[in-house]
């Protein structure tokens, strides 16, 4: 049989013997909304929760995700902008802020990857810098001790909006809601303290109300004061299926059941070999993003088993600190990653090394990638020249009765073992 997996902007293919026991693990098939614009407009004009529209004379700041998120801005933004114009908000009083968090900065010549040219020509657009303490406004601490510092331009606005997607997140439980601002527009220390909670019980994908990292994010969002949220739910083909708008908490409460319905995938038993893709571009733009698919796929892969992760990674590791940290001479094994991480304490960026090692130390992992060979070695990952070569090598080391899982949209899949 032939398997196909998204890879960058294309596909990879490989043949499996007909005798293999193969289980496809993917989100439920759901068609893109027939009229995506109308779907979003209905959500925006009939918002959830207790919200008020902006008024004439207000300065409006809109937090939008960076190029690592497939947010359908061409559908989500027009009704929001039309509503503001109807309310008398001037175009020159609207400021889009790209919420990069600790991701690499987006240069102005890359803005068109995120926003349509027409909007770039009309509105002010800037990129957040989490390292620039002078551009951050302190807001105290959360009840969990997270120091809050948020983009000053966003805080100076009279009306604050967040735009994004709701989907599974490996330790925040779910993306969406206030997260685009609470993390995407936060300073490094805010993000570092929040992300350190990934090691706590309950900080897992699919958990919301009892998730310490996510509830810390909600507390940050409440301290910021976010007036309006627009979130999409996308299918595996990145088409818009549903849209929710209004109060950020109300959006999450309405959106999470829809995400579970779409993305939860039953799995009959753990597999011996997992063949996974994060979901293609931009989910595999770098390893920093692709690792999320690795984490989801590992949840239903046997300890001592094998994984093949197909991730183009044209931007390499995706985080300069992560790459520098992994190039230290003492980091020569996954065990060394754990030892050094424990010695130094949690730091965002290099936490990705911990997440990769957590799964790769338990599951023999091969990366099919365009990443430079030397960089793959520095990141302690075995690289294969092709998907077919990786499959053939893995199968040669497994018994003929081995169970194989294929996960083509791993970043957005919530694999759930069938315990019946």
């Amino acid at each position: 049989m032939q398997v196909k997996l998204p890879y960058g902007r294309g596909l990879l293919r490989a043949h499996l013997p007909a005798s293999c026991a193969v289980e496809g693990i993917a989100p439920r098939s759901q068609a893109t909304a027939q009229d995506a614009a109308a779907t979003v407009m209905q959500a925006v004009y009939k918002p959830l929760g207790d919200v008020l529209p902006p008024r004439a004379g207000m300065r409006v700041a809109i937090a939008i995700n960076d190029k690592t998120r497939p947010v359908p801005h061409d559908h989500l933004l027009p009704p929001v902008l039309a509503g503001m114009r109807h309310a008398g908000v001037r175009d020159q009083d609207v400021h889009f802020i790209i919420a990069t968090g600790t991701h690499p900065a987006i240069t102005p010549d890359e803005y068109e990857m995120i926003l349509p040219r027409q909007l770039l020509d009309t509105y002010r657009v800037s990129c957040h810098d989490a390292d620039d303490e002078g551009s951050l406004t302190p807001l105290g601490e959360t009840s969990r001790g997270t120091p809050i510092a948020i983009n000053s331009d966003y805080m100076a606005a009279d009306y604050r909006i967040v735009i994004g997607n709701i989907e599974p997140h490996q330790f925040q439980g779910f993306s969406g809601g206030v997260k685009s601002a609470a993390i995407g527009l936060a300073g490094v220390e805010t993000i570092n303290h929040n992300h350190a909670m990934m090691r706590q019980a309950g900080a897992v994908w699919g958990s919301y109300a009892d998730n310490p990292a996510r509830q810390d994010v909600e507390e940050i969002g409440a301290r910021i004061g976010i007036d309006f949220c627009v979130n999409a739910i996308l299918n595996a083909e990145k088409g818009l299926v549903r849209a929710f708008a209004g109060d950020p908490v109300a959006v999450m409460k309405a959106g999470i059941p829809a995400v579970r319905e779409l993305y939860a995938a039953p799995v009959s038993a753990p597999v011996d070999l997992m063949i996974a893709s994060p979901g293609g571009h931009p989910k595999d733009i770098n390893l920093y993003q692709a690792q999320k698919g690795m984490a989801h796929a590992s949840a239903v892969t046997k300890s001592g088993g094998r994984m093949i992760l197909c991730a183009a990674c044209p931007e390499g590791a995706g985080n300069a600190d992560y790459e520098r940290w992994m190039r230290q001479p003492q980091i020569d094994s996954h065990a060394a990653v754990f030892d050094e991480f424990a010695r130094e304490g949690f730091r965002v960026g290099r936490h990705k090394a911990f997440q990769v090692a957590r799964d790769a130390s338990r599951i023999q992992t091969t990366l099919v990638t365009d990443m430079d060979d030397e960089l793959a070695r520095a990141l302690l990952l075995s690289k294969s020249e092709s998907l077919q070569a990786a499959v053939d090598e893995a199968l040669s080391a497994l018994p003929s009765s081995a169970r194989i899982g294929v996960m083509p949209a791993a970043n957005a899949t919530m694999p759930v073992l069938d315990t019946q």
Side-chain angles (χ1 to χ4, degrees), residues 100-103 105 126-138 149-153 185-191:
T100 52
T102 55
H103 298 172
S126 66
C127 183
H128 174 65
D129 185 350
D131 291 306
D132 183 5
E133 294 184 3
S135 69
L136 303 173
T137 296
I150 301 296
N151 184 284
S152 293
D153 285 338
L185 296 181
V188 170
E189 290 308 314
T190 300
I191 300 170

Side-chain angles (χ1 to χ4, degrees), residues 241-283:
V241 174
R242 301 280 300 276
F244 300 90
D247 172 73
V249 174
V251 165
M252 292 300 292
K253 288 182 178 179
I256 286 173
V259 170
R260 291 187 189 280
E261 181 183 1
L262 178 61
Y263 290 141
V267 181
S268 58
V271 301
D272 300 283
L273 169 62
M274 177 64 77
I275 306 172
S277 163
H281 182 84
K283 300 293 187 179

Side-chain angles (χ1 to χ4, degrees), residues 5-254:
L5 290 100
Y7 183 82
R9 298 183 187 276
L11 293 170
L12 292 183
R13 295 174 172 83
H15 290 277
L16 299 175
S19 58
C20 289
V22 180
E23 183 168 3
I25 306 166
R28 184 169 66 87
S29 178
Q30 189 163 345
T32 300
Q34 287 189 343
D35 189 338
T39 299
V40 177
M41 186 176 295
Q42 182 177 20
V44 169
Y45 291 163
K46 294 184 178 179
L48 302 169
D50 186 14
V51 294
L52 294 172
R55 300 186 306 275
M58 281 187 166
R59 295 168 298 167
V60 177
I62 305 176
I64 57 172
N65 292 148
D66 65 14
K67 62 184 178 181
T68 66
R69 306 288 194 270
V71 180
H73 291 124
D74 54 336
H75 294 310
L76 299 182
L77 291 175
V80 174
L81 297 174
M84 288 195 296
R85 283 175 174 164
H86 181 74
V89 176
R90 301 181 305 170
D91 292 348
Q92 59 264 42
D93 289 333
V94 177
H95 181 188
F96 286 95
I97 308 176
I98 301 171
T100 52
T102 55
H103 298 172
I106 306 296
T107 58
D109 61 349
E110 294 179 296
Y111 288 177
E112 204 164 352
M113 299 172 63
I114 302 169
L115 290 173
R117 170 48 57 185
Q118 181 182 359
L119 298 188
L120 294 175
D121 292 339
T122 304
Y123 299 99
R124 179 187 174 196
V125 181
S126 66
C127 183
H128 174 65
D129 185 350
D131 291 306
D132 183 5
E133 294 184 3
S135 69
L136 303 173
T137 296
L139 300 174
E141 291 188 354
T142 69
S143 61
R144 294 172 175 82
T146 299
I148 309 171
I150 301 296
N151 184 284
S152 293
D153 285 338
Y154 195 70
M155 292 309 304
D158 304 304
Y159 195 91
R160 305 180 191 96
I161 298 174
V162 288
I163 306 287
N165 295 342
I166 307 176
E167 59 184 17
H169 188 283
Q170 61 177 324
F171 66 86
Q172 296 282 357
F174 296 91
S175 65
V178 300
K179 183 174 177 291
S180 294
I183 296 298
L185 296 181
V188 170
E189 290 308 314
T190 300
I191 300 170
N192 188 70
H193 195 280
N194 172 266
H195 283 21
M197 297 178 197
M198 61 178 262
R199 297 172 294 179
Q200 296 184 19
V204 296
W205 51 264
S207 171
Y208 178 72
D210 298 324
N211 187 318
R214 179 68 214 201
Q215 290 306 308
D216 193 58
V217 164
E218 294 295 344
E219 193 172 339
I220 296 170
R223 193 73 60 87
I224 293 170
I226 296 172
D227 298 285
F228 201 75
C229 170
V230 184
N231 279 175
I233 295 178
L234 309 182
N235 58 22
E237 292 74 39
K238 304 180 182 70
L240 187 144
V241 174
R242 301 280 300 276
F244 300 90
D247 172 73
V249 174
V251 165
M252 292 300 292
K253 288 182 178 179

